[in-house]
């Protein structure tokens, strides 16, 4: 009889930033198909999602991937449901309106690899700082790139798992890295970002390191923070567009600044300061090829006749891609185009 290990992955109820949880279910003669992954339950009182006197929460499988790093194993992304089968209040995935693939998303996920003993990113001495920013972005060499073996292992595993990962690179600060995920639908892209985050967490765990998702882990210093830039488009943007239409969508984002910032990650005010390729959190702007704007209009979008994508540069590295996607869809659908 064949055995399979299914790692059920979910988001807990911790505030202001949810974290990943997972546990393993062993099944006999499992087909590998999502529809054959059963509903499961967990103790919500241990994850800030239920009271002790009525603690059962349900895990509804929504996406499944092979896990080549374990024998006969799968990764199962789940939604959290209440005991009666309704979406739990922490389940942002269930709030996404679209599911027909009209909206495409590409997230640029930045993060730091840190040493838990010093609490500082790789490449940083115990006291003081390394050389100033400059050589680290896409850097090569032992004095510029720190932790490459870890992110290379992450890339290989993401590809083997089947995630639509489009690339990796060293970022502007020492010990800072990025991976990019593209998907057709907010739910699918969100699933893959969370699985990508889960995998880098697990690999870092093996190396005795931690992944720091905080948008400004180095505080008020002359070091870049971490974002999760959100590239997005829908059928109108990809096929009709036009300068007037694309700018109308940008203007719609300017009409809903507070609603977006509310779901773009905790402590994002520490990152969105107007410095280090960001716009201030209390301002809104958009511009062609402007990495200091709230919304960047890629130069290719303009050159292609104002057809293509836009990039919201405000989401923080710790933002929930489900919430980000849901809010972007709502704003784009409400634009006067």
């Amino acid at each position: 009889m064949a055995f399979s290990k299914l790692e059920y992955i979910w988001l807990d109820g911790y505030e202001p930033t949810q974290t990943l949880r997972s546990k393993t279910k062993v099944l006999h003669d499992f087909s590998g198909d999502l529809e054959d992954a059963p509903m499961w339950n967990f103790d919500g009182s241990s994850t800030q999602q239920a009271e002790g006197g009525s603690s059962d929460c349900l895990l509804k499988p929504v996406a499944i991937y092979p896990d080549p790093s374990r024998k006969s194993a799968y990764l199962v992304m789940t939604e959290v449901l209440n005991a009666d089968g309704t979406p739990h209040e922490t389940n942002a995935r269930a709030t996404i309106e679209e599911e027909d693939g009209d909206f495409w998303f590409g997230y640029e996920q930045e993060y730091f690899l840190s040493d838990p003993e010093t609490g500082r990113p790789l490449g940083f001495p115990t006291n003081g700082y390394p050389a100033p920013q400059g050589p680290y972005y896409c850097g090569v060499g032992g004095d510029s790139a720190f932790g490459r073996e870890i992110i290379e292992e992450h890339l290989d595993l993401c590809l083997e798992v089947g995630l639509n990962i489009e690339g990796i690179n060293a970022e502007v600060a020492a010990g800072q890295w990025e991976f990019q995920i593209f998907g057709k639908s907010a739910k699918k892209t969100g699933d893959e970002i969370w699985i990508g985050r889960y995998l880098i967490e697990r690999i870092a765990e093996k190396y005795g390191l931690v992944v720091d998702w905080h948008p400004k882990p180095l505080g008020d210093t002359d070091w870049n923070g971490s974002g999760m830039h959100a590239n997005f488009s829908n059928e109108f943007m990809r096929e009709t567009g036009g300068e007037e239409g694309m700018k109308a969508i940008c203007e719609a984002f300017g009409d809903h600044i507070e609603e977006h910032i509310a779901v773009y990650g905790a402590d994002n005010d520490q990152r969105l300061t107007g410095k280090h390729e960001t716009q201030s959190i209390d301002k809104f702007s958009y511009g062609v090829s402007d990495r200091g704007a709230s919304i960047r209009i890629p130069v290719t979008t303009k050159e292609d006749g104002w057809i293509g994508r836009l990039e919201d540069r405000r989401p923080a590295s710790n933002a929930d891609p489900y919430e980000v996607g849901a809010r972007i869809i709502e704003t784009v659908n409400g634009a006067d185009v």
Side-chain angles (χ1 to χ4, degrees):
M1 183 179 293
F3 297 90
S4 295
K5 293 174 283 189
L6 280 67
E7 193 71 13
Y8 278 58
I9 301 166
W10 75 97
L11 303 179
D12 65 22
Y14 274 68
E15 296 180 344
T17 302
Q18 291 175 277
T19 56
L20 287 160
R21 304 292 180 117
S22 73
K23 62 176 183 171
T24 305
K25 187 176 189 66
V26 176
L27 293 180
H28 301 172
D29 299 321
F30 177 60
S31 69
D33 296 330
L34 178 63
E35 55 267 27
D36 292 328
M39 195 89 79
W40 204 11
N41 67 294
F42 69 97
D43 172 17
S45 68
S46 295
T47 61
Q48 302 291 318
Q49 288 167 301
E51 298 295 330
S54 180
S55 65
D56 280 352
C57 291
L58 304 179
L59 294 173
K60 173 189 174 184
V62 294
I64 190 167
Y65 311 86
D67 183 359
S69 67
R70 301 173 79 191
K71 184 178 179 180
S72 303
Y74 297 87
L75 302 168
V76 182
M77 193 66 206
T78 69
E79 288 187 13
V80 176
L81 307 181
N82 297 307
D84 62 2
T86 58
H88 193 275
E89 62 181 358
T90 61
N91 180 355
R93 189 182 190 276
T95 69
I96 298 173
E97 295 179 0
E98 62 83 35
E99 191 47 34
D100 59 4
D102 177 44
F103 277 86
W104 296 0
F105 286 88
Y107 291 120
E108 303 171 30
Q109 177 68 69
E110 297 175 337
Y111 59 94
F112 279 86
L113 290 174
S114 296
D115 182 338
E117 293 188 5
T118 65
R120 296 168 72 79
L122 297 188
F124 278 66
T126 302
N127 297 302
Y129 297 94
Q133 292 185 161
Y136 309 113
Y137 174 69
C138 298
V140 178
D143 58 351
S144 298
F146 307 97
R148 188 182 297 278
E149 70 278 11
I150 297 169
I151 62 95
E152 289 289 348
E153 185 174 333
H154 179 243
L155 174 60
D156 287 343
L157 188 53
C158 286
L159 290 169
E160 290 183 66
V161 164
L163 303 187
N164 194 28
I165 187 168
E166 296 207 320
I168 58 172
N169 60 269
E171 263 302 330
V172 177
Q176 187 184 35
W177 295 88
E178 174 183 297
F179 66 90
Q180 304 97 32
I181 294 283
F182 169 77
K184 296 181 178 180
S185 95
K187 289 183 178 180
K188 177 178 175 60
T189 318
D191 293 341
E192 296 201 7
I193 281 288
W194 278 115
I195 293 295
R197 288 179 176 179
Y198 173 83
L199 293 174
I200 190 62
E201 288 272 15
R202 202 170 72 182
I203 293 169
E205 175 186 310
K206 182 175 70 173
Y207 284 88
L209 300 174
V210 296
V211 182
D212 195 335
W213 303 105
H214 193 280
K216 194 68 172 178
L218 294 166
D220 187 18
T221 61
D222 194 24
W223 292 89
N224 271 37
S226 296
M228 187 187 69
H229 303 156
N231 298 270
F232 61 93
S233 68
N234 64 356
E235 185 176 2
F236 169 81
M237 296 168 66
R238 294 189 298 269
E239 298 186 6
T240 304
E243 182 174 3
E244 184 177 336
M246 295 298 260
K247 287 186 175 180
I249 292 172
C250 291
E251 292 287 346
F253 277 74
D255 293 336
H256 297 282
I257 297 172
E258 291 184 3
E259 295 93 328
H260 282 268
I261 294 300
V263 298
Y264 277 9
D267 299 316
N268 208 13
D269 57 312
Q270 298 177 32
R271 167 178 164 263
L272 298 180
T273 61
K275 301 176 182 179
H276 306 111
E277 300 180 309
T278 69
Q279 176 57 282
S280 296
I281 196 167
D282 58 347
K283 297 179 181 178
F284 178 83
S285 64
Y286 60 90
V288 175
S289 199
D290 186 355
R291 282 179 166 76
S294 309
I295 303 286
R296 180 177 72 93
I297 303 170
V299 67
T300 52
T301 296
K302 179 182 178 182
E303 291 178 348
D304 290 342
W306 292 89
I307 291 176
R309 63 184 171 90
L310 296 172
E311 178 194 25
D312 192 333
R313 296 182 59 79
R314 296 171 297 172
S317 49
N318 60 356
D320 181 351
Y322 297 139
E323 290 191 277
V324 173
R327 184 60 246 187
I328 287 176
I329 289 168
E330 184 174 351
T331 298
V332 173
N333 284 341
D336 185 15
V337 297

